[in-house]
Amino acid sequence: QVQLVESGGGLVQAGGSLSLSCAASGRTFSTYAMGWFRQAPGKEREFVAAIRWSGGSAYYADSVKGRFTISRGNAKNTVYLQMNSLKPEDTALYYCAARLGVVVTTTDYDIWGQGTQVTVSS
């Protein structure tokens, strides 16, 4: 069974940091692109960051560039999102997603996790 499981969300004060993890299982993800998305209440799901499992450039939304870092741990089949200098507007449900092939910044991903909540207080 193909599965993405996010963890690491929580409540943090503005300016703080959180590290999200996405554990992938059920298939070999070496030819996949992995992305992080978020959705705040009443808003559409939006792209945050993405990277190809095999390596290469990482892609970021302008709103998180310089503050968030996406990375992968090949040995552990896990993708991470390090979030620094968090702002209240970063509050959302954060999703991990996977798609076969190249990175895209739309929601055109095939596999989704259940999400992990990030709340940033002012």
Side-chain angles (χ1 to χ4, degrees):
Q1 181 182 0
V2 178
Q3 202 171 16
L4 301 176
V5 179
E6 303 97 333
S7 61
L11 173 64
V12 64
Q13 288 189 334
S17 298
L18 279 175
S19 181
L20 304 184
S21 299
C22 171
S25 61
R27 67 177 55 173
T28 301
F29 286 87
S30 58
T31 57
Y32 278 69
M34 305 297 296
W36 284 97
F37 292 78
R38 66 186 183 187
Q39 188 167 18
K43 295 188 176 182
E44 293 187 352
R45 192 170 298 187
E46 64 174 4
F47 170 78
V48 174
I51 192 169
R52 285 211 71 192
W53 202 283
S54 58
S57 299
Y59 299 81
Y60 297 95
D62 288 342
S63 58
V64 307
K65 204 170 292 183
R67 300 189 297 122
F68 290 11
T69 302
I70 187 172
S71 62
R72 69 214 186 282
N74 289 329
K76 296 185 178 181
N77 224 29
T78 302
V79 176
Y80 304 96
L81 185 68
Q82 177 65 39
M83 305 185 296
N84 299 327
S85 302
L86 283 162
K87 305 175 181 180
E89 51 263 43
D90 294 318
T91 295
L93 190 59
Y94 282 71
Y95 296 91
C96 178
R99 74 184 305 273
L100 188 63
V102 301
V103 167
V104 298
T105 59
T106 66
T107 55
D108 187 19
Y109 282 67
D110 307 307
I111 308 165
W112 292 84
Q114 82 289 349
T116 184
Q117 179 68 38
V118 172
T119 303
V120 184
S121 63
S122 57

